[in-house]
């Protein structure tokens, strides 16, 4: 039920955080779910509560773990959450190009594919 912008911002936050910090494999899911929480706080109107995120992680982490990772990510990124994502760029580009619906669907499909396929 989250916006597409939230997905792209989540991936961006994870990428930038992992480029600067080493995270043990055991805490990688914690970093991901916390990045999603931060992206939701930035993009969404209603933010999921931390307890819902704990359930998503199958209770592998506590509320304190998530809040500590949130502090760590925000400090590592110097509170810079406002970044251009491929989704924002594509939305603006397609609007300026006055594109057809087919081209929009294909464009968004391609940028979603780029989230998992770097090649």
């Amino acid at each position: 039920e989250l916006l597409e912008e939230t997905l792209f911002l989540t991936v961006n936050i994870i990428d930038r955080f992992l480029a600067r910090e080493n995270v043990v494999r055991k805490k990688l899911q914690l970093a991901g779910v916390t990045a999603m929480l931060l992206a939701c706080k930035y993009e969404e109107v209603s933010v999921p509560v931390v307890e819902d995120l704990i359930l998503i992680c199958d209770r592998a982490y506590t509320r304190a773990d998530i809040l500590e990772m949130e502090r760590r990510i925000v400090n590592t990124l110097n509170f810079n959450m406002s970044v251009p994502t491929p989704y924002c760029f594509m939305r603006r580009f397609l609007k300026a190009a006055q594109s057809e619906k087919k081209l929009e669907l294909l464009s968004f499909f391609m940028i979603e594919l780029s989230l998992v396929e770097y090649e």
Side-chain angles (χ1 to χ4, degrees), residues 4-103:
E4 290 86 3
E5 293 95 328
T6 306
L7 170 65
F8 284 91
L9 184 57
T10 300
V11 171
N12 183 282
I13 291 170
I14 292 169
D15 283 347
R16 291 186 298 137
F17 177 68
L18 293 179
R20 293 184 184 174
E21 290 280 325
N22 289 327
V23 177
V24 294
R25 188 175 187 180
K26 188 176 168 184
K27 299 283 186 178
L28 199 55
Q29 183 182 23
L30 176 61
V33 78
T34 305
M36 186 173 73
L37 175 64
L38 287 166
C40 286
K41 286 181 177 182
Y42 190 81
E43 293 287 354
E44 299 289 333
V45 173
S46 85
V47 178
V49 293
V50 175
E51 285 70 26
D52 290 342
L53 300 176
I54 293 169
L55 291 175
I56 288 172
C57 296
D58 200 27
R59 300 186 191 276
Y61 309 106
T62 65
R63 178 180 175 81
D65 292 335
I66 292 176
L67 296 178
E68 173 59 28
M69 182 59 77
E70 182 180 26
R71 184 195 61 75
R72 190 173 159 198
I73 290 173
V74 168
N75 285 333
T76 300
L77 300 180
N78 296 320
F79 289 80
N80 186 11
M81 296 295 142
S82 183
V83 294
T85 62
Y87 185 86
C88 296
F89 170 79
M90 189 59 71
R91 198 175 53 206
R92 283 179 166 253
F93 180 78
L94 291 171
K95 186 176 181 180
Q98 298 175 345
S99 64
E100 299 175 2
K101 190 68 176 171
K102 262 187 182 178
L103 180 61

